[in-house]
Amino acid sequence: MFAVTALGELLIDFTDAGTSAAGQKLFERNPGGAPANVLVALERLGMSCAFIGKVGDDMHGEFLRATLVANDVNCDGLVSDPEHFTTLAFVALSEDGERTFSFARKPGADTQLRPEEVDTRIIRNSKVFHVGSLSLTDEPARSATMAALEAAKAAGCVMSYDPNYRSSLWPSAEVASGHMRSIVGYMDLIKISCEECELMCGTTDPQAAAQVLLDQGAKVVCVTLDADGAYVATKDGGATVPSFRVEAVDTTGAGDSFWGGFLCAFVDSRTSPADVTLEDAKGFARFGNAVASLCVRSRGAIPSMPTLAEVEKVLG
C-alpha cells in the first residue's frame, strides 16, 4: 500500500548557476516536476510513494528515473517514450531566490501519457492520489489525468490537488483557469498559491478563495502566502499559520515541499478528510512550513528535500 501516488510531469530544471569565466550564464541540471517533488519530500519523511507519468527515452529521462529510484519512489508507472524528448525547464533566479521559467516542451514527453498507459493497479493500492494541472495542458495527458482521477475516486483514494500554474504552458489565462477549475470537484485536499487565487476562484483574497473551494466540495484548503506561511481552512473556519523565517537561496520546490510535509502529517494523523478540524489542519501546515523552510536553504528542489530528523529539529 502506497501512502501517496502522484501523476504528472517529471522534468529537468536547469537552474541558474551564475556565470562562466567567459561571462556566459551557467545552468545546473536538477531533477524536477511538482508531483515528483512532492513524492520525494514524502519519501524523505518516511512515506511510501509511487509515480505515474512519462519521460523521454533519453539521457535526461534516464537521469530522472534513476533519481526517483534512488529516493525510493516506485517507478512501475513511469513510461519511457522513444518518440518524444524529456521536458526541460530553464529556471532563472533573482537575488531574493524568486524564479522565472522558460520551457522546452513542444511537446514534451510528459504531455504524451495515454489513458491506457496509466497503471490503475498502483492507484488502487494508494491512500492518497495527488495531481497538479500541468498534465491538463495537452492531450493525451489530459485524458490520462481524467481517467486516473476516475480510477482513484472509484478506489476510495483521498484526492489531493496543487494546480501549480505556469503561464507559458497555457494558450491564455482563461484557458488555464477553465482546465484548472475543471477537476476541483474531485478533490478532498487542495493547495493553491496566493498568485493562483484569482485563476482558481475569481478573487485575490486568500480567505475568500479558500471558501470558494470549500463550497465546491474540498474538505481542507491551503493557500500558501510565500514568506508569510499558509492560510488553512476547513469546515470549522480558517487561520494563518506563520512560516519559519530563513534566508532563501532557491525557492524552487518550496510549495511542493510544503505540500509533501502537509500530506505526510495528514497521513500520519489517520484522519479522514471530512473529519480534519481546523486545529488539525494548522498542525499539518506547521509541519509543511518546517519542511519548506529547509528546502529553500539550498539549490534545486529534489536535492534539497529534508529528512524527518531535520524537520523534527526545526519543530523542536
Side-chain angles (χ1 to χ4, degrees):
M1 189 79 177
F2 298 109
V4 180
T5 289
L7 178 148
E9 71 277 10
L10 178 61
L11 49 80
I12 298 294
D13 284 330
F14 279 111
T15 309
D16 190 337
T19 56
S20 70
Q24 301 301 312
K25 186 170 288 295
L26 298 174
F27 289 90
E28 178 182 66
R29 183 176 74 164
N30 283 300
N37 293 343
V38 170
L39 295 184
V40 173
L42 282 156
E43 283 283 355
R44 296 269 177 91
L45 298 170
M47 294 284 158
S48 176
C49 300
F51 181 79
I52 296 173
K54 182 175 277 192
V55 292
D57 186 11
D58 51 51
M59 63 183 290
H60 297 307
E62 292 172 2
F63 167 69
L64 290 168
R65 182 184 293 274
T67 297
L68 290 190
V69 170
N71 283 279
D72 298 321
V73 176
N74 181 284
C75 289
D76 291 350
L78 177 58
V79 180
S80 293
D81 186 344
E83 303 298 325
H84 299 91
F85 201 72
T86 299
T87 295
L88 310 178
F90 292 85
V91 188
L93 298 176
S94 66
E95 290 184 0
D96 60 359
E98 288 303 317
R99 305 155 297 156
T100 56
F101 291 86
S102 179
F103 289 90
R105 190 188 191 225
K106 297 181 183 293
D110 66 293
T111 69
Q112 300 304 301
L113 183 70
R114 301 191 301 271
E116 63 270 22
E117 294 175 316
V118 174
D119 191 335
T120 56
R121 174 189 57 84
I122 296 172
I123 296 173
R124 290 193 300 271
N125 284 294
S126 304
K127 178 176 178 61
V128 177
F129 182 66
H130 173 72
V131 295
S133 69
L134 295 195
S135 61
L136 301 175
T137 59
D138 298 272
E139 290 289 3
R142 184 183 304 142
S143 293
T145 302
M146 301 308 296
L149 290 172
E150 290 289 346
K153 202 70 172 178
C157 297
V158 174
M159 309 292 278
S160 165
Y161 182 34
D162 175 7
N164 194 39
Y165 177 60
R166 295 287 179 262
S167 61
S168 62
L169 296 180
W170 295 93
S172 67
E174 291 74 21
V175 170
S177 178
H179 285 297
M180 288 163 64
R181 295 184 188 195
S182 70
I183 62 174
V184 168
Y186 286 92
M187 301 303 163
D188 300 301
L189 313 174
I190 299 178
K191 181 195 85 68
I192 62 174
S193 68
C194 53
E195 294 82 8
E196 291 163 344
C197 286
E198 188 165 13
L199 273 172
M200 290 295 295
C201 307
T203 175
T204 58
D205 179 66
Q207 296 184 32
Q211 190 58 53
V212 167
L213 296 174
L214 291 173
D215 291 343
Q216 293 177 6
K219 305 301 186 294
V220 184
V221 177
C222 290
V223 182
T224 53
L225 306 173
D226 298 326
D228 293 325
Y231 178 79
V232 294
T234 70
K235 62 183 183 300
D236 303 324
T240 297
V241 181
S243 65
F244 295 83
R245 296 287 181 171
V246 297
E247 192 72 32
V249 172
D250 179 4
T251 59
T252 304
D256 303 328
S257 60
F258 166 83
W259 198 235
F262 190 98
L263 291 178
C264 176
F266 165 76
V267 171
D268 270 342
S269 75
R270 301 182 182 275
T271 307
S272 72
D275 293 331
V276 173
T277 67
L278 180 57
E279 287 303 310
D280 291 333
K282 287 165 62 178
F284 303 162
R286 184 170 184 268
F287 191 88
N289 282 341
V291 177
S293 75
L294 291 164
C295 177
V296 300
R297 293 181 190 182
S298 55
R299 302 174 65 85
I302 285 178
S304 302
M305 294 300 175
T307 64
L308 180 59
E310 291 170 326
V311 176
E312 288 174 339
K313 185 176 180 180
V314 169
L315 291 170

